[in-house]
Amino acid sequence: TWANGSRVSPELQVLEVRNRKDPDGPVIGLFLIERRERKRATDRWATADVTISVSYQEISSDGYRRETASGEFRGSYHAHVNTVSITAGSLTGGMVVIDPPSLQGHHLGTYLMNEIVRWAKRWPDATVNTVTLLEGQSHGENRERRNRFYEQFGLKFDYTSSGRTAGT
């Protein structure tokens, strides 16, 4: 659907995830994607603070939920400081992770973060809250995949080590 000249995602949809190395191969999983947006007025004249959550829940091929893979990505816009966060529903903290790890690297996280980033672009003059990459989250193949994940959305990092294991 469209609102004010921009594409608006449906609140619920089913996403089919395939292996990134074999996109024509079997389906890895079906996921129920739920997109929720909440507005909270800061005062009667100001733009509201807004949060978004895009959650995923694995469902079976017959459409029923399973208790295997689920999670949520969050974002927020804070009118009083004109700041947007693409990793949290608040100004502080936040992180994004796909769980279980066997789903990482198959573009489920990219799909969810794309929804958050597209939503955040509603405030083009807002400051983007700093994203911090922690060394403890970086290991083996995961490090470069994690870095590429954020960089594909236009984020540029000041890495604190030559191995690109941490930065802001």
Side-chain angles (χ1 to χ4, degrees):
T1 60
W2 293 83
N4 299 325
S6 297
R7 182 177 164 257
V8 177
S9 295
E11 287 183 20
L12 291 174
Q13 57 188 319
V14 174
L15 182 68
E16 183 179 88
V17 175
R18 295 178 180 267
N19 187 315
R20 75 178 190 278
K21 294 178 181 175
D22 186 14
D24 295 323
V27 173
I28 291 174
L30 295 175
F31 295 87
L32 180 64
I33 307 296
E34 183 177 12
R35 185 182 187 281
R36 291 174 298 180
E37 189 172 324
R38 304 277 187 259
K39 296 178 184 178
R40 183 181 61 84
T42 54
D43 63 46
R44 65 181 161 157
W45 294 285
T47 302
D49 286 348
V50 186
T51 60
I52 184 172
S53 70
V54 183
S55 61
Y56 64 96
Q57 170 71 54
E58 189 170 7
I59 56 176
S60 64
S61 59
D62 57 10
Y64 291 100
R65 289 181 173 203
R66 290 192 244 180
E67 294 300 322
T68 51
S70 65
E72 180 175 62
F73 282 27
R74 291 182 176 197
S76 57
Y77 171 70
H78 303 276
H80 59 287
V81 290
N82 195 30
T83 300
V84 67
S85 172
I86 61 169
T87 60
S90 67
L91 282 174
T92 58
M95 63 185 277
V96 296
V97 65
I98 293 293
D99 194 41
S102 62
L103 287 174
Q104 295 173 3
H106 299 293
H107 304 293
L108 175 59
T110 298
Y111 177 85
L112 299 169
M113 181 59 82
N114 188 60
E115 288 294 306
I116 300 291
V117 169
R118 191 165 43 83
W119 171 87
K121 288 182 177 182
R122 291 171 38 187
W123 300 278
D125 297 329
T127 301
V128 177
N129 207 19
T130 300
V131 174
T132 302
L133 303 176
L134 303 175
E135 190 167 346
Q137 299 168 329
S138 169
H139 51 81
E141 178 187 320
N142 179 58
R143 181 187 70 242
E144 281 306 312
R145 188 172 64 222
R146 175 202 64 183
N147 296 351
R148 276 193 318 272
F149 172 79
Y150 286 108
E151 290 168 353
Q152 73 182 327
F153 295 104
L155 297 177
K156 298 185 186 329
F157 289 92
D158 180 16
Y159 291 101
T160 56
S161 68
S162 61
R164 298 172 22 118
T165 58
T168 56

